[in-house]
Amino acid sequence: MSYDPMELEGDGDGPHVTVRKVDDVRVNFILRNIDLAFANSLRRIVLAEIPTMAIDLVEVEENTSVLADEFIAHRLGLIPISAKEVDKVLYSRDCGRCDQYCEECSVVLTLNVKCTTDVPISVYARDLIVNEPRPSQTVGDPVITDDEGLGSVICRLRKNQELRMKCIAKKGIAKEHSKWAPTASVGFEYDPHNKLRHVNYWYEEDAATEWPRSKNADWEEPAGPNDAFDYDAEANMFYFEIESVGSLEPETILQQGIKVMQQKLAAVLQELTGATATTTAAAGDDDDDAMGMNGYGGPRSPELNGTGGRDYEMDQGYTTPYVNGGGASAWGGVGGATPYGATPYGQNGY
């Protein structure tokens, strides 16, 4: 979709937004009358705390390609998945119906491709088939934006090579893994003329020539050669350009970023005032999504266990034949006696 440039003004000295360009991939805008901390917080939230969908579990039934299972699973996880109406998908740890995945907290995609010709074939994101049921009819579809309608390349197969996999897409945020990132990049700039002197430019002869100004410099007046430095000046214009990977529209990413910031601020106010979800709801907040199980419903990583990691009931890979996981030796446990006497390791005083 496309929009004409527009300006959205707040009341009085409140925030002021100038939208310079919007298309299916990018949104370019200016924020005024806010401070640097607020602008940078919005940038960080857009990068890492907006819920999206990504393939998180892969069950391999058959893989006779030249690529290892883990390699293909990693590539599958990086394929953009549509996150429209992602609010209808539960986080795995909030789902009360399952231990790993179900239709309320995940979307299942199947990959079943076999090469039967002498000419090698490519496996694309279009070959991922979404299984029904799922939380929403718009969530979980692979994002395909190329003109040929193929999507991302997964691997290549020669004759009689085959891939059969079940892929489980879950809801998460980029703080857990970058595969949940909704953005390819977030451009952020302020003070393009460096009037605040937050940057010291290294140069050989002339800084103005060797460091050309960005296009954002046209929106501000440069400092005069005889102007005194203002020690009290602060940045109040911030230039953003958000580029989406395709899972969410760029303007939706910005809206979700503001929503997450509101939720985080609500959590801070709740802790400072001692308010509870009950008192907040009684005050007139009827939005179920605004107050979640953790008091404010902010984004969280999927399926976290008590130690901060994910628990899929899998072998951790370091089990040994010894009872205590390899710590024991033929001479006993750590600090045990040897034919030469007690070892100092593990004893008091060391």
Side-chain angles (χ1 to χ4, degrees):
M1 70 181 58
S2 60
Y3 297 92
D4 295 328
M6 67 183 75
E7 294 195 5
L8 305 174
E9 294 192 30
D11 297 333
D13 296 330
H16 181 111
V17 182
T18 301
V19 180
R20 298 191 289 186
K21 181 181 179 181
V22 181
D23 55 31
D24 293 337
V25 179
R26 297 176 181 86
V27 57
N28 189 302
F29 61 96
I30 303 173
L31 280 181
R32 293 186 178 92
N33 299 336
I34 60 173
D35 58 18
L36 178 58
F38 183 94
N40 192 49
S41 297
L42 179 61
R43 179 189 68 86
R44 291 171 61 92
I45 288 174
V46 166
L47 279 171
E49 298 193 51
I50 295 178
T52 62
M53 297 291 293
I55 293 175
D56 194 42
L57 292 177
V58 177
E59 298 178 0
V60 180
E61 299 177 9
E62 185 74 24
N63 175 22
T64 56
S65 71
V66 298
L67 300 180
D69 296 349
E70 295 82 0
F71 193 95
I72 296 180
H74 181 264
R75 292 183 65 84
L76 289 169
L78 297 179
I79 293 176
I81 301 294
S82 174
K84 295 179 181 179
E85 297 185 343
V86 71
D87 291 340
K88 295 183 179 180
V89 183
L90 297 177
Y91 285 98
S92 293
R93 70 180 192 180
D94 291 341
C95 184
R97 291 188 53 186
C98 65
D99 294 330
Q100 285 193 337
Y101 62 90
C102 66
E103 62 269 17
E104 293 189 4
C105 64
S106 62
V107 175
V108 178
L109 303 94
T110 56
L111 181 64
N112 189 354
V113 182
K114 183 176 182 179
C115 180
T116 58
T117 65
D118 294 330
V119 180
I121 64 172
S122 297
V123 182
Y124 296 96
R126 69 173 182 182
D127 297 313
L128 289 167
I129 307 301
V130 181
N131 295 359
E132 301 291 345
R134 51 177 165 165
S136 168
Q137 294 302 311
T138 58
V139 68
D141 294 322
V143 175
I144 300 175
T145 58
D146 57 292
D147 296 335
E148 293 80 10
L150 302 175
S152 305
V153 178
I154 299 174
C155 72
R156 296 268 291 173
L157 297 178
R158 296 184 65 182
K159 186 175 183 179
N160 295 327
Q161 290 182 340
E162 182 180 6
L163 277 183
R164 284 204 318 271
M165 297 181 174
K166 178 188 287 187
C167 309
I168 295 90
K170 294 191 174 187
K171 181 178 177 179
I173 60 175
K175 269 189 173 180
E176 168 79 4
H177 194 285
S178 60
K179 65 186 176 184
W180 278 294
T183 58
S185 64
V186 178
F188 177 73
E189 185 182 14
Y190 68 94
D191 189 23
H193 293 288
N194 198 29
K195 292 186 291 185
L196 302 178
R197 301 180 187 175
H198 287 181
V199 178
N200 290 325
Y201 292 107
W202 181 91
Y203 61 94
E204 293 181 346
E205 295 180 0
D206 181 31
T209 303
E210 298 173 23
W211 294 91
R213 304 301 181 193
S214 70
K215 61 181 180 180
N216 297 321
D218 298 335
W219 291 76
E220 296 187 27
E221 293 294 331
N226 299 322
D227 291 349
F229 179 73
D230 186 359
Y231 290 90
D232 296 324
E234 295 182 355
N236 66 350
M237 289 185 63
F238 303 92
Y239 307 90
F240 285 83
E241 183 167 0
I242 298 175
E243 181 180 355
S244 172
V245 298
S247 58
L248 292 171
E249 295 179 339
E251 64 268 28
T252 303
I253 294 175
L254 177 59
Q255 294 169 359
Q256 290 295 319
I258 295 173
K259 177 181 177 181
V260 172
M261 180 178 288
Q262 290 174 332
Q263 293 171 344
K264 293 171 76 71
L265 292 174
V268 173
L269 292 175
Q270 178 177 316
E271 293 296 328
L272 292 176
T273 60
T276 62
T278 303
T279 58
T280 305
D285 187 357
D286 296 329
D287 188 358
D288 294 337
D289 187 57
M291 301 296 292
M293 306 224 8
N294 61 345
Y296 72 100
R300 294 156 295 176
S301 302
E303 211 162 12
L304 293 178
N305 59 26
T307 61
R310 285 177 291 175
D311 184 6
Y312 297 134
E313 299 181 359
M314 296 173 62
D315 185 1
Q316 300 300 316
Y318 51 77
T319 304
T320 71
Y322 301 101
V323 175
N324 65 343
S329 68
W331 315 111
V334 176
T338 71
Y340 308 102
T343 63
Y345 303 105
Q347 304 298 325
N348 293 333
Y350 289 87

